[in-house]
Amino acid sequence: MKNKLISVVSSLALLVLLGGCNDSWEEHTRLSKDVKDVTVLQLLEGESRYTDFVALLKETGLHKDLNSELLFTVFAPSNEALAAHGGQLNGEEAKRLFVAQHISEDRILLDSFEGERLQMLNRKYVALDAEAHTVDGKALNEQVSVVRNGVVYGLEGVLTPLPNIWNYVSEVAESSKYVDYLNSLTGLYFDPELSEQVGFEDDQIVYDSVFVSRNLFNMEVADLAEEDSVYTLFLIGDAAFDGEFQKFKGYFRAYTDKNLEPDSRDSALIRSEISRNYIFKGAFAPDALPAELFTIDGVRVSVDAAQITSSFEASNGYVYHLESCPVALEDKIPVVTIEAEQLARYFGVATSAGNDDGAAQGYLRSNPMASGGYDYVLDNHITGRKLVNGLILSGGKLPSVRYQVYWRAVNNFRTSMRNPNDNVLRQRLGTVSAIQRDEETGEPISFGPPNTGSISTSFYDVLLTEYSDDPLADETYIGVFNNSTYEEVFFQLVPEGESTRAMAATLDYIRLVPLFN
Amino acid sequence: MRFLKRIFVSFVLLSTMGAMLSAQEQTGEAADIEVSGVVYDAVSGLPLAFADITCPTFSSDFSDIDGAFTIRVRSLNDVLLVSMSGYHTQEVILAGRSEVAVYLQEGERSSFQGMVDFGDFSQRAAYSPRSVSSVSMPFVSSLSGKESPESVLAGAVSGLQAPSRSGISGVGSDLFIHGRRSLNTSNAPLVIVDGMIYDITAYGNSMIEGYTVNAFAGIDVDDIEQVTVLKDAAAIYGAKGANGVILISTARARQQATTIDFSMYGGLNLMPETYPLLDGPQYKTHLLDMLASAGSDYSEIRELVRESAVSGHPEYFNYNNNTNWQKEVFRQSYTSAYRLGIKGGDDVALYSLSVGFLQNDGVVEASDYSRFNLRFNSDIKFSERFTLNSNIAFSYHDKNIGGTGATSVDDVVDQARRKAPFLYPNMRNQEGYISSVLSDYDLLGVSNPVAILDNHQLRDMNYRFFGSFNFDFKLNQHLYLSNLIGLSFDKDREAIFLPSYGVRPQETPVGIITNQMKARVARHMALNNDLRLRYQRRYGFEHGLNLLGGVRMNLNDNEEDWGEDFTSANDMIRTLGNGLAILRQKGGYLGEWNSLTAYFSGDYDYLKRYFLHVGMSLDGSSRFGAEADGVKMMDGVFGFFPSVSAGWLLTSEPFLQNFQALDLLKLRAGYGITGNDDIGNYSARKYYTTQNLWSYQGVVQGNLYNPALKWETNTKVNVGLDVAVLRERLSLSADLYQNTTTDMLDWVPASEFSGFDDVLVNDGEVLTQGIDLGLQLQVLNRPLKWDVGLQVSTYNTEVKHLSTKTKETELYGATVLTEVGQPLGVFYGYRTVGVFATQAQADAADLSTRLPNTSLERFNAGDVHFVNTNPGTDQVIDENDRVVIGDPNPDFFGSFTSRMRWKGLTLDALLTFSVGNDVYNYQRRQLESMSNFANQTTATLNRWKYEGQQTDIPRATYGDVVGNNRFSDRWIEDGSFLRLKNVTLSYRLPVRPLGVQSLEVFAAANNLLTLTEYKGLDPEFSAGGYSLVQGIDLGLIPQTRTLMLGVKIGL
């Protein structure tokens, strides 16, 4: 009987032990034979045709990444392809650049790949044609392995990293006035991100400063060293560069009188303007170069293919050398239209009650006949006093040139929206200068009195009561504005009105037509 | 239904005729007749000396040294009562015999000679014509570690399901007798404790998601003496009896000698099983895949994850760990319980006092459960005619719940399953040093469960007073007048604080929720009065009569108040009233319901061969509508509920006396009508609620009332068979039943002019049919005694009528279908046939899905191949392609008990099982959908990644545009299981040191072993008592495996 008891107890104990394993989960979570549970590196190491590539990976240290839990897509060149490529890999950096050209982040599956370009680990892009199974024109073979941390595609050939436009300008291109100018913009700049904050004094962060080498053109115009955007850059010959300098030197003056020879500061400004004339967004291959291009600033540039002496394909675009590529004055210094609706805020006058410009009433009026679809009315008076010094509109940075000034304004509300009377609406236009700017944004906070002699000192009647089909016919000629310095210009539209006469100001736009010398 | 009725009517007629015939046979027999016999031990077969043999009210004798006796009887159809200490008292029906061999059954085993407690009276199990199960405690030895009595009932009663709600300490089980039968009302049985209704429903809704307040926890398992489960139509309980009735009687003193029992145990709750989730490196790869498909919105996170993988990055040590978050929130813990019971008294008063204390630290960190319970039962004999029985019970529990596993940004268990394993609970600096400061919620929007555990509170405190006085007047020898008056008072308080630190803020249209403060109080008070008149008489040996009539009054008052406040200034301010006023919410309800029931029950037997039970009641409730269909009196509506059962004990017939091996053979049948009054306190009355519109307070009509609303009517028909053979070594009980619910409550669309969407009406019909089987077998009887028991049940339900014909209910992402002709609660979704391995396969299938913007999107390689069930109509997988994909009702379920005894050693085991029930694995769907950044199970390593890959896991796409993870048979699993619910080895020491009367030590284990193919943490769960939530596994924490050691001392 004892034996029976023991056998029953032991069989129960056995059941308990068996219960420890949960078969259904084990079966459910067991890795299927179709899942390659290896890393990209392990897969490459396991295939004899990739031994050279694996060796390169190990030399550059990239093998560690490919053995990690991060996802990678590798276009693996075979030993034969690498051998055919030859030994052009001089230096560690070049090797790394080359190897990284074959590796991309994430698991790229051709079936679900959308787009044309793929960024590789060296930040350069390759052209991936998912339908044709090619990368930068090199065919992908049938050997595709989806593994734990990525995908490995067999590649027929190798991917060669190209230098970018900036590499070309700074390292390859021959010296010329233009090239030298661009390189001259390289200098050491303070980098707040890399700098360590060590204290705080007088409301300012104190840094243990780090300065890095940067190029001002790349920082402010177009970053030719960045792989994420593509550009086309024209480099013009010295004679043409000088010619352009002479052409524009009267119009981009900030420091010296435009009738005198520019000093070094103005010369830099003028060169900067010239250089901006030859950088275009987009990569235009030699066979797809249009006859007309528009710069980043929107200036039209005619391209004469006959002037092209050479071209260079970079990883982020193209560089062309041209003997000459003149930009017309009219294209560089166009007619300017300043829409009234761009007004962002009022600027008030100091009163005993404080700066109460908010009490002024401005009406942004929708009107399909108005330029831009809107015009503006400023109802500036309350009983006994005016509220703000009229409308102040930025005309943007205007070249140092004389402009004929027109406005288009329509009065269909008598003299004031709030206090209409039968007086004639009158207003005048002048310029003002910013006397205080916000420290952080640089936006003007307050303005000085009207600049003496600017545009017009007399008030004009606004007699037009409705817009016609021809805007030019509606315009009123105000006078000539001689802009002496190349800087941002503020226009001020002032309603006529004294303390007893409520009067508004109104405007659709101001038009500035340059008068070339 | 008709078939059963016919059987029943024939049976009643047949037995009546039989009774009349045999009555004629016996007239004129002489009274001076002697019967001789021998009394044996049923197991050993040895004669028993000094057994007490009586022929009631006539003669008596003792058996001699050889067990032999001779006694005078009134007739050869008389009955002898044979009793002896340690054995079941046995009634021997002579049935024409003048010589009898009486085999007495050991008292420790269950027997048909055992008494079934019907509350006001008891009846020998062999004589009951009703479908009833009676269980004397303890069912299987100690059953230690059961914090709540209902969870152990399922092991002993066939047809009773008691799935545990979850693994939270003391959270208890839902109870279902004979499956489910109602769509919108409770399926929970009526519970009567010591003659008074024990409310198990009026607890309001817990504010802790995934948690349910357990009413049963107030009863200590060890205080229970007997449980009787009435499965047939218990008509005397009127409109409360549709779901069956459970009668619980608690321990009383039976003798004057003082006994003191002390028991205690200590145990270890093992760490629960966890889901096999991706580890740190695996998850990081998975996350990068998901981030890539999530698009450029997440490129910053993607960059951060990639860059931080490089040693030297400032976040390197924060983002390159391998944390098993599930292990951070689960733990091993300890449990212990102590109970002291004292019984005794004198010839005037008997008392039974028990005091218990239990402490169970749950398996989730920061959880614990403590309970104190006290019970004082007394029986005072004021005079020979006047006695008082009092039952006073008080229990208090205090629970801190760490987490429940419910899907929520503040639930630690849920967040632990989602959280990225490469993160760390604490902050780490650039050098890798671990700070004592815990991390906040993470970059992927998942809370830090460890930070929540550090600072949260989910507390539920509950106390219940449950007491009654029963006055009993003996008017004469046969007539008793009794009145029971009792009060039940229950209060449940919840206090909740969820911190802002570590928890992902939740955006609402009016503001952002950072921390949360909540409180709730639910109060229930019930006053019961039950006045009864009982007449019990035996006319000679032929006719037995037991009549009971009474009036029961039940007055209930229920109130719940809750408030929630959000976003206090910081986590130190954690009381209501300090949050943002715009987010503050408060609410509650008042509920009152009363019922008045007049009832009658009559039992008649002739010669203990033919048994008839008649029950009826007139039940009125404040819930019934004034225009309801019923008996109108006393300004109210009363329902009339009759029932009748008849039994034929064939082994009392003379013609069966030659079959020595047959101990008992009984046929029984019953028919009756009961009701379900869980129709809402005010659904039949018009009421108004306040409304706030743009800060203006007003009063609007609160419901579309239905004055004709009445109870759900439940018609029960059952036939049964009880057999015992070979001196009761083998006994069997079988029941065939049918429940028809008519007037079933249903929400039907209301008139569009009413301003309400739908209205509650008595309309639908549901049919439940089933079989219960109970088997007891003594496999070995000496010296090793091995008793096994098997309870097996099966049932099926069918919706017979529904005014809307078909109804879909959305629950936890599943669609549950209610349709005429279908079982209750079936899952309605898409069928799948794997995953397209290649684009060619997808193209061949040529299937699309309709996007929310109504455009069509093709299923491609890597997508799930859904079955297009209407290929002739379209090639679009849409709602028209849904079919019934699962039935949560089991094919059969039950339990297996085993008890082995050898000298002082006892080994008990209780196994429960369920076969063929389908489960919607909600939690696995969360962990394998691969549509967001949550951690997933390792099965997703097999996800489709390349053309030609054979797998059953689709590709991972953020947002799951084509709906690969829609509710389909991918998430329906077979929930069959076999569980060793309890195993106990106890040893009664042969020594009695220090004057103790008995000393027993035991080792026990709960939920030690579960055999199942189900891929969840626990195949046994209950998402609630309503029919439509059955089979939905929310992935709450699994039941704990507990190992215990204990001692019982008798003084």
Side-chain angles (χ1 to χ4, degrees), chain A residues 1-2 4-5 8-9 12 15-20 22-25 27-37 65 68-72 104-107 109 111 121 123 146-150, chain B residues 273 275-276 281 284-285 288-289 292 302-303 305-306 309 320 780 782-784 900 902 905 907 924 928 937-939 941-943 945-950 953 980 1008-1009 1011-1016:
Chain A
M1 217 30 76
K2 244 182 196 172
K4 272 190 186 171
L5 187 70
V8 169
V9 171
L12 271 175
L15 269 175
V16 172
L17 285 174
L18 283 172
N22 195 332
D23 288 344
S24 57
W25 270 114
E27 195 179 314
H28 182 63
T29 57
R30 187 182 301 134
L31 271 190
S32 115
K33 61 174 176 36
D34 277 12
V35 175
K36 291 194 181 77
D37 192 30
D65 287 346
S68 74
E69 62 267 21
L70 304 181
L71 287 174
F72 293 97
S104 172
E105 289 182 353
D106 285 340
R107 193 195 303 272
L109 300 171
D111 292 335
L121 223 47
R123 315 230 10 105
V146 179
V147 296
R148 194 200 300 158
N149 66 339
Chain B
E273 275 189 46
Y275 288 99
K284 194 174 274 188
T285 311
L288 287 168
D289 260 338
R302 181 181 154 276
E303 287 302 316
V305 170
R306 291 197 77 104
N320 288 282
L780 302 169
R782 57 187 168 167
L784 173 70
M900 281 187 228
W902 183 68
L905 271 176
L907 177 69
R924 189 166 68 78
E928 288 182 4
T937 74
T938 49
L941 293 173
N942 283 330
R943 66 184 180 273
K945 293 193 207 85
Y946 60 91
E947 176 80 4
Q949 183 183 353
Q950 298 287 340
I953 309 275
L980 180 59
L1008 196 55
L1009 166 74
L1011 299 177
T1012 182
E1013 287 293 303
Y1014 176 62
K1015 293 184 281 294

Side-chain angles (χ1 to χ4, degrees), chain A residues 71-255:
Chain A
L71 287 174
F72 293 97
T73 297
V74 176
F75 301 101
S78 62
N79 295 343
E80 294 76 33
L82 279 174
H85 175 63
Q88 303 161 4
L89 301 171
N90 300 320
E92 220 169 275
E93 186 54 37
K95 263 185 198 166
R96 191 181 161 85
L97 205 61
F98 174 78
V99 176
Q101 182 79 0
H102 295 84
I103 306 171
S104 172
E105 289 182 353
D106 285 340
R107 193 195 303 272
I108 309 294
L109 300 171
L110 294 185
D111 292 335
S112 55
F113 181 76
E114 287 168 3
E116 292 164 357
R117 280 160 33 100
L118 178 65
Q119 191 171 34
M120 309 311 281
L121 223 47
N122 57 12
R123 315 230 10 105
K124 293 188 184 295
Y125 284 81
V126 293
L128 174 60
D129 189 332
E131 287 204 358
H133 287 217
T134 60
V135 183
D136 271 355
K138 312 282 181 354
L140 298 174
N141 61 32
E142 295 297 305
Q143 287 143 358
V144 184
S145 302
V146 179
V147 296
R148 194 200 300 158
N149 66 339
V151 195
V152 177
Y153 294 95
L155 182 70
E156 306 283 349
V158 297
L159 302 175
T160 317
L162 294 171
N164 58 39
I165 297 177
W166 188 249
N167 293 145
Y168 179 79
V169 171
S170 59
E171 293 163 20
V172 182
E174 281 183 23
S175 170
S176 72
K177 285 189 173 175
Y178 188 3
V179 171
D180 293 349
Y181 166 69
L182 289 177
N183 282 315
S184 73
L185 298 176
T186 301
L188 288 174
Y189 291 90
F190 170 64
D191 188 329
E193 286 188 8
L194 292 177
S195 303
E196 198 175 333
Q197 186 183 336
V198 291
F200 202 78
E201 212 174 282
D202 299 335
D203 290 346
Q204 298 275 320
I205 298 170
V206 180
Y207 289 101
D208 183 6
S209 304
V210 173
F211 289 85
V212 293
S213 174
R214 295 248 169 87
N215 183 279
L216 199 60
F217 187 87
N218 286 345
M219 286 158 72
E220 295 194 343
V221 184
D223 193 348
L224 304 177
E226 178 54 55
E227 303 281 351
D228 286 339
S229 314
V230 287
Y231 295 102
T232 299
L233 175 71
F234 287 1
L235 295 174
I236 55 172
D238 288 355
F241 194 74
D242 286 342
E244 292 293 300
F245 187 89
Q246 289 305 320
K247 182 164 54 180
F248 289 117
K249 74 177 183 184
Y251 301 105
F252 295 97
R253 293 298 191 91
Y255 304 98

Side-chain angles (χ1 to χ4, degrees), chain B residues 246-428:
Chain B
I246 295 177
L247 305 169
I248 295 175
S249 46
T250 58
R252 318 193 76 81
R254 302 287 176 203
Q255 55 192 19
Q256 293 171 12
T258 302
T259 58
I260 301 172
D261 293 306
F262 175 75
S263 62
M264 60 174 284
Y265 68 79
L268 182 69
N269 296 318
L270 300 180
M271 183 113 150
E273 275 189 46
T274 52
Y275 288 99
L277 300 180
L278 300 174
D279 64 15
Q282 286 171 334
Y283 174 75
K284 194 174 274 188
T285 311
H286 167 82
L287 176 67
L288 287 168
D289 260 338
M290 292 306 302
L291 285 166
S293 83
S296 55
D297 289 356
Y298 297 94
S299 52
E300 268 183 38
I301 297 178
R302 181 181 154 276
E303 287 302 316
L304 182 60
V305 170
R306 291 197 77 104
E307 287 168 6
S308 63
V310 179
S311 170
H313 189 276
E315 299 289 348
Y316 176 77
F317 287 101
N318 280 322
Y319 291 161
N320 288 282
N321 298 285
N322 195 357
T323 307
N324 186 335
W325 288 100
Q326 295 185 96
K327 292 211 164 138
E328 296 291 328
V329 299
F330 288 130
R331 64 173 179 192
Q332 256 184 19
S333 69
Y334 299 97
T335 177
S336 59
Y338 311 86
R339 181 179 182 271
L340 181 68
I342 304 172
K343 284 181 186 176
D346 54 26
D347 55 350
V348 174
L350 291 169
Y351 65 89
S352 166
L353 170 74
S354 74
V355 185
F357 179 75
L358 177 144
Q359 172 81 34
N360 189 355
D361 299 332
V363 288
V364 178
E365 293 281 351
S367 61
D368 62 74
Y369 169 42
S370 59
R371 182 183 76 183
F372 168 79
N373 59 284
L374 181 143
R375 182 174 295 276
F376 183 74
N377 289 355
S378 68
D379 302 282
I380 302 165
K381 198 155 122 190
F382 293 113
S383 72
E384 280 303 316
R385 287 178 176 273
F386 180 32
T387 54
L388 167 68
N389 321 107
S390 76
N391 306 285
I392 310 289
F394 176 79
S395 67
Y396 172 78
H397 20 116
D398 190 348
K399 229 178 269 188
N400 279 304
I401 296 148
T404 63
T407 306
S408 155
V409 293
D410 44 52
D411 186 84
V412 296
V413 178
D414 177 68
Q415 295 295 293
R417 289 169 185 157
R418 290 164 178 269
K419 195 157 178 79
F422 62 69
L423 299 172
Y424 199 76
N426 297 61
M427 295 218 239
R428 304 186 69 173

Side-chain angles (χ1 to χ4, degrees), chain A residues 346-361:
Chain A
Y346 306 112
F347 295 96
V349 288
T351 66
S352 59
N355 211 356
D356 63 348
D357 47 63
Q361 294 278 324

